[in-house]
């Protein structure tokens, strides 16, 4: 385990462990980082401390289940949205905790916007996030009779063109990409 754990006060250790046991990784990292920052500890090292706590607490961690990607669950989420769904879109995002992951959203018209449907992380026992999100997105788009868009299904790229951006700039093939 990281030697930095010994520098934390007992109350901080208890808070970090409580967050880890509830699978609140970001909150745990923030707590460690804020406590150790005066000692020159950076965010990356704080993440390593929390990772070590996940390993130490093992099976006691109540892991958050992945977002459901089955058609019935996604269709139910869409049915609760205000307005009309114009497209289903998948796109890459990433952070220091999860590396790259894919967001699946419903793009809506009237009101103009988007609504989160699922976040697809890499899971050692599952399909790669891009493949799982693309499969679920295509099924949902087909069910709804709307386009599916995934501008960069093969390579993580958080700057790939989004559906609405492509539609506004080119009202052409980019608007209905099936990546």
């Amino acid at each position: 385990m990281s030697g930095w754990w010994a520098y934390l006060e007992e109350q901080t250790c208890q808070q970090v462990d409580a967050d880890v046991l509830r699978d609140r990784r970001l909150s745990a990292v923030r707590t460690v980082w804020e406590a150790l920052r005066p000692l020159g500890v950076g965010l990356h090292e704080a993440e390593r401390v929390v990772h070590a706590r996940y390993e130490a607490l093992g099976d006691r961690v109540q892991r958050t289940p992945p977002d459901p990607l089955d058609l019935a669950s996604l269709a139910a989420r869409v049915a609760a949205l205000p307005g009309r769904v114009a497209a289903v879109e998948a796109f890459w995002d990433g952070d220091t905790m999860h590396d790259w992951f894919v967001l699946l959203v419903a793009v809506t018209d009237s009101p103009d916007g988007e609504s989160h449907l699922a976040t697809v992380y890499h899971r050692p026992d599952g399909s790669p996030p891009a493949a799982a999100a693309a499969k679920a997105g295509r099924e949902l788009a087909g069910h709804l009779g709307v386009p599916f868009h995934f501008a960069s299904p093969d390579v993580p790229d958080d700057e790939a063109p989004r559906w609405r951006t492509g539609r506004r700039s080119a009202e052409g093939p980019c608007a209905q990409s099936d990546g």
Side-chain angles (χ1 to χ4, degrees):
M1 184 186 311
S2 169
W4 290 110
W5 183 251
Y7 287 87
L8 295 173
E9 295 179 4
E10 181 62 29
Q11 183 178 359
T12 303
C13 291
Q14 290 174 1
Q15 178 61 47
V16 170
D17 280 353
D19 283 340
V20 168
L21 288 170
R22 291 187 315 244
D23 202 17
R24 297 184 60 209
R25 186 180 298 263
L26 291 176
S27 180
V29 169
R30 183 181 67 233
T31 299
V32 170
W33 185 51
E34 288 174 353
L36 297 177
R37 193 170 24 180
L39 301 175
V41 172
L43 185 58
H44 181 69
E45 187 60 34
E47 290 170 343
R48 290 179 54 183
V49 170
V50 170
H51 179 74
R53 293 310 298 159
Y54 267 84
E55 289 181 348
L57 296 171
D59 291 340
R60 294 178 31 204
V61 176
Q62 297 174 356
R63 301 229 181 245
T64 304
D67 287 340
L69 294 176
D70 61 284
L71 181 58
S73 296
L74 293 172
R77 292 189 96 162
V78 167
L81 298 177
R84 184 183 76 80
V85 174
V88 175
E89 182 174 28
F91 59 93
W92 290 99
D93 201 352
D95 61 33
T96 56
M97 283 287 160
H98 302 99
D99 197 16
W100 288 104
F101 51 89
V102 178
L103 296 172
L104 191 62
V105 299
V107 180
T108 57
D109 285 338
S110 189
D112 198 22
E114 66 184 39
S115 294
H116 177 266
L117 299 174
T119 302
V120 187
Y121 298 105
H122 175 72
R123 298 247 181 213
D125 58 343
S127 297
K135 180 179 183 289
R138 280 190 193 97
E139 287 177 4
L140 180 61
H143 174 75
L144 299 172
V146 299
F148 172 71
H149 178 76
F150 193 173
S152 182
D154 299 321
V155 179
D157 181 359
D158 59 356
E159 295 182 15
R162 298 286 307 274
W163 184 80
R164 197 174 301 280
T165 304
R167 184 171 161 231
R168 285 185 182 140
S169 66
E171 289 296 325
C174 184
Q176 296 188 10
S177 171
D178 190 33

